[in-house]
Amino acid sequence: DASRKMTENGVSSRAKVLTIDTMNPTVKKVEYAVRGPIVQRAMELEKELSEGMKKPFAEVIKANIGDAHAMGQQPITFFRQVLALCSYPELLNDSTFPEDAKSRARRILQSCGGNSMGSYSASQGIDSVRHDVARYIKRRDDGVPCDPDNIYLTTGASDGIVTMLKLLVCGEGATRTGIMISIPQYPLYSAALAELGAVQINYYLNEQKCWSLDISELQRSLDEARQHCNPRALCIINPGNPTGQVQSRQCIEDVIRFAAKERLFLMADEVYQDNVYAEGCQFHSFKKVLFEMGPEYSNTVELVSFHSTSKCYMGECGFRGGYMEIINLDSEVKAQLTKLVSVRLCPPVPGQALMDLVVNPPQPGEPSHEKFIKERTTTLCALAEKAKLTEQVLNTVQGISCNPVQGAMYSFPCITIPEKAIKEATDNGQKPDMFYCMKLLEETGICLVPGSGFGQRDGTYHFRMTILPPKDKLKILLTKVKEFHQKFTQQYS
Amino acid sequence: DASRKMTENGVSSRAKVLTIDTMNPTVKKVEYAVRGPIVQRAMELEKELSEGMKKPFAEVIKANIGDAHAMGQQPITFFRQVLALCSYPELLNDSTFPEDAKSRARRILQSCGGNSMGSYSASQGIDSVRHDVARYIKRRDDGVPCDPDNIYLTTGASDGIVTMLKLLVCGEGATRTGIMISIPQYPLYSAALAELGAVQINYYLNEQKCWSLDISELQRSLDEARQHCNPRALCIINPGNPTGQVQSRQCIEDVIRFAAKERLFLMADEVYQDNVYAEGCQFHSFKKVLFEMGPEYSNTVELVSFHSTSKCYMGECGFRGGYMEIINLDSEVKAQLTKLVSVRLCPPVPGQALMDLVVNPPQPGEPSHEKFIKERTTTLCALAEKAKLTEQVLNTVQGISCNPVQGAMYSFPCITIPEKAIKEATDNGQKPDMFYCMKLLEETGICLVPGSGFGQRDGTYHFRMTILPPKDKLKILLTKVKEFHQKFTQQYS
């Protein structure tokens, strides 16, 4: 029987039903560098250190992922007070909690079935939270109207992005859906497209112009893609991940005009909307710019925008909160979207509660307002300072060139890798920047992600590092990267 | 320009990129009755009532979904105390919290990055939680070993089920993956299979024998499916949803033998493992039975078992907590699974914390033990009582026949629908049981789900109702169903 074989100890063993050769081939194609082999090795090193093994470093410093609290950032007190009150409503009788936290908790609980966060919510999200989100967006966008019915709460932004891509994918061969994504990109996009079997269409950001987006490059990329697939959507991350640029208002307008002209569905990943540091830079939402362009655009261009509780000043990744706003989505498709999200029942309710607090924080005059502003400001100022520090120090290193970190939480410097190192890496079947980052990790304990995990122009090499470590650790990290790069360059020259 | 059209007010309007005709066709095929049109109508009615509109009833009673807290079930105090402590660790200084809650919270926080639930966890789930799950399973299964490395924490059980199905699906046409599911089934399965484009293979539970599973029916179903697809997995829900049966140990052994003989991957949905009410019934995990069958089976049969924080005595649906245990999964496939779940970063951390408490509740001698046992017992006894009451009352109605609710949270009675009603429904393009349930809703405010949403033998009709409403409300509900059925039968006879 071909489906049976003998194992070492003589017990007959059936061949597995599910093997690498018989599993879903689209899943095999998925790659996700942010949690890839380099991070697995970092975790092994941490374990080895904790077991007393000797290493050339005392601790592993992880700058691979935008995980603010893990890097020591403190949560906003008010948010956590309300979450505690919602988790254990007995605390509503506790006089040490501020009144505004209590009233916020009461309001959230009243909109939960049985006044419990343990109930399922509506699949689209809690009604009152969606209303608060709509009010937040209207305020943010200087009065552009927002319909709560267009808000869907999500399990982090990733969930919303995958859901929208899922709706868009169809066709086979030359009519297969293509989705335009920036290169460098956040690997959720490439992973989701691989899994959905959609065609990934790359457009390159302009590193020489601070990772800005050129419409001519969009056009080139689209025209080429039209030869072999059906491009239907254009994804933009602003502020940029992994590249840290902040798009100008003009650029956003140009992108919208391009999408309208070329009939592309716009997907705007705006999870870093509060993370803008560089002078002269400002966050402009795609929604606002779209509506300022008049009804010719605002009545027609299909747009979805994503936000999350994971980034900005709150950094609450573990709660998996988020929302998306859909604009001009066909009403029948919207009904299908609502049906689709209902299969997963609802996004986590604590994450929804947190999203509510983010869009409806303490107001002037409320007891928690002052503390909230202070905590938020402290976090955002520290990030701005670290953004600057990172750029400055990296640019002192010969062979490293780093654009300003205008926003988001990452720098994505270009690194010069000597030919000898490229050859050694290639001989080992490794990408040169992976080779570089692995060596950096083994020698210094610093965990960065190679640029190849995000995409980069052929023949260029980068790494992504977060600016999240506390300032003193970030300084050590930057010094170590500098020393490593010098040593590495010398070694392979 | 064909892609432009004029709207009523004369503004030119582009044709939408994404329409019902150009969206993903597999998404269109998805159906999810538990949150389908009947529930939407129930929500409308609630809104109309709240706006003062007159109805033949004063409130809508929702018995359509297993949402315990929404039906008034109280959360376990200890669980919520620990969650509050984890959310706002300042409370660790509060002397009103019991010491065991504090020590549990400290342990959870210590395994979170930066001691915060706001950090991402490992994608497979927090290490210490996976260890606690493994200890729980070993205890539950009388010492059968459990490897924490085989535990994956999930966003509710649904997430785990979809993830495993995703791995299994491949091939085209006659080699397309087929997945065997029970009929009646929980519609997550049919929805996920539709979305993945897998072939749904129905096997029918035996209503005459209390919804038990006959191996001969499995064989029939499999043999027929082999004509047109490649059957690869067999899904079982035990205790049953929507049918409430509890499988005997013998039956589980037979199913495992069948899966081994036919080379099927086993998926055991065991989220109701604490919900067993009927005398003589007992929950047996597939894992335990598998290991008791000896190495011939335990070394070879591929099994995944799912659990959740949403059901049992805790009913914490909103937190979206869950785990799955994989047995005999090919190691390369396991690496692919780990990669796949990493794209979504991690399951919600509050849900992971809750899962930890479920598998590691207060122990004898700890300050919260007595209260925990009392709360758990109260909830489970109330459910057992309501299971009995539901069966008894429904069986007093001529034209309704209800199997004992041995476990889970639902009854799925067979209802006789008069020919005239069937004709009227069919003439209106409605399924007869949808017609019945819609009328019930409009006339009494009671929201049940038609059997057609779960699947049933042709020519039979059912509804699913949860046993979750508080006893006094459940009594009213059952009386109203009884009266409605009598009236309905008379009207259409």
Side-chain angles (χ1 to χ4, degrees), chain A residues 207-218:
Chain A
E207 184 164 15
Q208 276 63 49
K209 293 205 298 194
C210 200
W211 296 115
S212 64
L213 195 164
D214 296 338
I215 299 297
S216 59
E217 166 61 10
L218 282 185

Side-chain angles (χ1 to χ4, degrees), chain B residues 163-218:
Chain B
T163 300
M164 290 308 296
L165 288 173
K166 204 178 271 177
L167 290 179
L168 279 157
V169 173
C170 65
E172 288 304 328
T175 65
R176 187 69 180 163
T177 293
I179 307 283
M180 301 180 72
I181 64 172
S182 61
I183 299 293
Q185 55 117 10
Y186 174 56
L188 167 70
Y189 289 91
S190 51
L193 296 179
E195 203 187 311
L196 293 167
V199 179
Q200 174 179 327
I201 305 172
N202 297 336
Y203 65 89
Y204 288 86
L205 300 175
N206 190 336
E207 184 164 14
Q208 276 62 51
K209 294 204 299 195
C210 200
W211 296 115
S212 65
L213 195 164
D214 295 338
I215 300 296
S216 59
E217 166 60 10
L218 282 184

Side-chain angles (χ1 to χ4, degrees), chain A residues 372-480:
Chain A
F372 165 72
I373 295 294
K374 199 174 151 213
E375 290 177 343
R376 186 180 65 177
T377 310
T378 304
T379 297
L380 288 175
C381 287
L383 286 171
E385 201 186 346
K386 292 189 281 188
K388 203 150 208 174
L389 179 72
T390 302
E391 178 203 346
Q392 280 171 346
V393 176
L394 289 177
N395 279 328
T396 65
V397 189
Q398 195 161 12
I400 296 187
S401 155
C402 180
N403 270 319
V405 182
Q406 297 174 330
M409 299 176 164
Y410 317 98
S411 77
F412 195 73
C414 185
I415 50 175
T416 307
I417 300 185
E419 282 304 325
K420 258 168 88 179
I422 293 174
K423 190 177 176 321
E424 186 170 326
T426 317
D427 289 349
N428 289 325
Q430 222 172 11
K431 292 191 170 141
D433 51 5
M434 175 63 91
F435 175 79
Y436 177 98
C437 287
M438 272 292 185
K439 266 203 173 307
L440 175 72
L441 175 63
E442 297 287 349
E443 292 180 21
T444 66
I446 292 169
C447 179
L448 309 179
V449 189
S452 48
F454 305 88
Q456 53 200 350
R457 285 209 181 264
D458 279 350
T460 69
Y461 303 106
H462 301 77
F463 58 73
R464 185 185 84 163
M465 67 168 275
T466 75
I467 59 167
L468 292 174
K471 198 175 163 190
D472 53 337
K473 255 192 202 167
L474 183 64
K475 279 186 177 165
I476 298 173
L477 186 158
L478 290 165
T479 308
K480 285 188 169 187

